[in-house]
């Protein structure tokens, strides 16, 4: 039964506003879902790009070493394959974390040797820092040797350090690009 008096009109207006609010809420939820997926895709792309840069440079260094310096090729080969294996393991870890995303695993805290983490990441990027055809970058580490080992997730810490070093080791772009 529909009333046409003021109370009926008020009830109709209230019902219409309630319907509109429900529609707006559903659109907002959908927009938030799309934004979350875009952010997830952006982060995944970023995480996957970081190991690809050292992989590419390592392969290029191998190719250059093979063409130009046959005597040192074995040394470059063994260093490069170690780098390739480490970065492939890093990619596997990223893919595993992505597949575990639904579980939202908590960071796994353990005592971490910060100096060793920094040294490992710098060693990983050394071939890229000294790549033929680029101005060489000589890393200088000033580390405090008696640091306490803080509780941290070693994989997340390493990823953060790799992100920093990869940004610092990128070739400079000419102004205006």
């Amino acid at each position: 039964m529909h009333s046409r008096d003021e109370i009926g009109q008020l009830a109709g207006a209230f019902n219409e506003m309630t319907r509109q609010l429900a529609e707006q809420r559903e659109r907002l939820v959908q927009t938030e879902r799309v934004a979350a997926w875009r952010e997830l895709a952006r982060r995944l792309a970023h995480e996957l790009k970081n190991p690809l840069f050292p992989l590419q440079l390592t392969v290029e260094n191998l190719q250059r070493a093979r063409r130009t310096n046959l005597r040192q090729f074995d040394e470059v080969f063994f260093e490069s394959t170690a780098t390739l294996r480490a970065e492939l393991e890093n990619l596997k870890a990223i893919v595993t974390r992505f597949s575990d995303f639904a579980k939202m695993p908590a960071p796994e805290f353990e005592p971490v040797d910060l100096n060793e983490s920094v040294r490992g990441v710098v060693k990983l990027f050394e071939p890229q820092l000294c790549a033929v055809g680029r101005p060489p970058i000589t890393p200088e580490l000033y580390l405090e040797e008696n640091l306490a080992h803080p509780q941290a997730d070693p994989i997340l810490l390493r990823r953060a350090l790799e992100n920093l070093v990869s940004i610092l080791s990128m070739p400079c772009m000419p102004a205006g690009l």
Side-chain angles (χ1 to χ4, degrees), residues 99-167:
S99 65
D100 291 343
F101 178 70
K103 298 176 195 171
M104 295 297 284
E108 296 179 24
F109 293 101
E110 60 185 70
V112 176
D113 184 338
L114 294 175
N115 289 339
E116 196 54 42
S117 297
V118 169
R119 284 186 192 105
V121 170
V122 169
K123 182 164 179 54
L124 175 68
F125 279 85
E126 275 180 346
Q128 291 81 295
L129 298 174
C130 302
V132 176
R134 295 179 52 192
I137 299 172
T138 305
E140 294 182 20
L141 301 178
Y142 300 97
L143 305 173
E144 178 63 44
E145 291 303 323
N146 297 320
L147 283 179
H149 292 160
Q151 295 287 319
D153 184 312
I155 295 171
L156 294 176
L157 176 64
R158 181 177 174 92
R159 192 173 312 148
L161 291 170
E162 287 174 355
N163 287 343
L164 290 172
V165 174
S166 71
I167 289 169

Side-chain angles (χ1 to χ4, degrees), residues 12-139:
F14 179 78
N15 289 340
E16 179 61 20
M17 285 189 295
T18 302
R19 186 190 61 74
Q20 287 175 354
L21 281 173
E23 286 176 4
Q24 288 175 353
R25 182 176 182 271
E26 184 58 36
R27 282 194 302 265
L28 179 61
V29 166
Q30 186 63 26
T31 301
E32 288 173 348
R33 281 186 192 135
V34 169
W37 277 110
R38 284 184 178 155
E39 178 64 15
L40 179 64
R42 186 191 66 76
R43 287 183 184 205
L44 180 62
H46 175 76
E47 291 297 323
L48 290 174
K49 266 197 256 182
N50 287 335
L52 292 176
F53 180 68
L55 286 170
Q56 177 184 354
L57 288 175
T58 300
V59 169
E60 289 170 1
N61 285 341
L62 268 171
Q63 291 170 333
R64 273 192 296 278
R66 182 73 176 132
R67 284 192 309 263
T68 59
N69 196 345
L70 293 175
R71 281 183 281 182
Q72 291 180 336
F73 179 73
D74 285 345
E75 180 182 335
V76 171
F77 176 80
F78 289 113
E79 286 180 12
S80 295
T81 54
T83 298
L84 291 171
R85 290 177 69 107
E87 286 306 306
L88 289 171
E89 284 299 318
N90 190 14
L91 281 170
K92 259 181 22 183
I94 291 168
V95 169
T96 298
R97 282 185 181 253
F98 180 71
S99 65
D100 291 343
F101 178 70
K103 298 176 195 171
M104 295 297 284
E108 296 179 24
F109 293 101
E110 60 185 70
V112 176
D113 184 338
L114 294 175
N115 289 339
E116 196 54 42
S117 297
V118 169
R119 284 186 192 105
V121 170
V122 169
K123 182 164 179 54
L124 175 68
F125 279 85
E126 275 180 346
Q128 291 81 295
L129 298 174
C130 302
V132 176
R134 295 179 52 192
I137 299 172
T138 305

